[in-house]
Amino acid sequence: MSIASANTNMRVPAGFRNLLEGLAREVLREQPTDVVAFAAQYFQKLLEQREAGGVDPVAWGAMLED
């Protein structure tokens, strides 16, 4: 069975790569048994930091990518 693929270019949103690299780094450092729960907690902490007026990791990552 073959699947036809469209010749489309998909762009990664600005800052997304940096966000995922941060998650990957923490997963490798912590070695959690439940990666999905760890990721949920990781992103929740980032969201709380952003809402508290701290640094937005997505915006920061977008600046680094430019």
Side-chain angles (χ1 to χ4, degrees):
M1 177 173 155
S2 65
I3 299 173
S5 62
N7 188 14
T8 60
N9 292 332
M10 298 183 79
R11 289 184 25 155
V12 176
F16 189 65
R17 179 178 176 168
N18 187 55
L19 187 67
L20 290 183
E21 285 175 353
L23 172 62
R25 186 174 31 257
E26 290 302 310
V27 166
L28 292 172
R29 190 171 63 82
E30 294 287 331
Q31 298 289 308
T33 55
D34 187 347
V35 176
V36 174
F38 180 85
Q41 292 172 345
Y42 175 81
F43 289 126
Q44 183 63 41
K45 276 195 279 185
L46 289 180
L47 180 61
E48 290 169 2
Q49 289 173 354
R50 184 180 74 181
E51 290 175 346
V55 176
D56 183 355
V58 175
W60 177 255
M63 288 187 330
L64 294 176
E65 291 171 3
D66 287 340

